[in-house]
Amino acid sequence: MIRPEALATLSRWRESGFAVALGLFGLWLAGRGGWVFGPLGLALAAAGTAFLILALRRARFRQNSIGPGLVELDESQITYFGPTGGGAVSLRELVELRLLARGGRRFWRLKQADGQALLVPVDASGAERLFDAFSALPGMDSHALVAALAPIGGAASGGLPASATDTLGPVIWHRPARRALT
């Protein structure tokens, strides 16, 4: 009954719709007045607003799942199963996060403390789970994370300019240096 494109769009923005509904219900409840409904409604409206900010960032982070491979996130370990390779990275061992453009595609470059790096396509199936994993990293700015995925130059090929075939983007996040105990 519903076209697949419309269903995909509705699915992408469902969290935002829920947050707006929660905020509106909170405002309606606050309008009822009284010592109970007023503060409860304002608290629900504030929670809906906070959830809306997070939901909008998640929706902007989510890409079409048309890329190769599958991403799994299990107990702070990111695993990528690709058609020609793959690997796993522990979030505890992660020291650097970058966005890499290679051959007209974009990849997350996850570098471990031992120097190994894992490339994960931003449009792989399950890559939307990475937002929560990356947001949990110490000192991560989720706004900078979403801004890194913004289309560059407005090109149609995943936001990449035509001249950028192999470019290593700026560091989005790096683990703060640990101080030595003396």
Side-chain angles (χ1 to χ4, degrees), residues 104 151-162:
I152 303 168
S157 64
L160 293 171

Side-chain angles (χ1 to χ4, degrees), residues 149-174:
L149 281 176
I152 303 168
S157 64
L160 293 171
S163 63
T165 55
D166 289 342
T167 59
L168 185 61
V171 175
I172 298 170
W173 174 85
H174 69 280

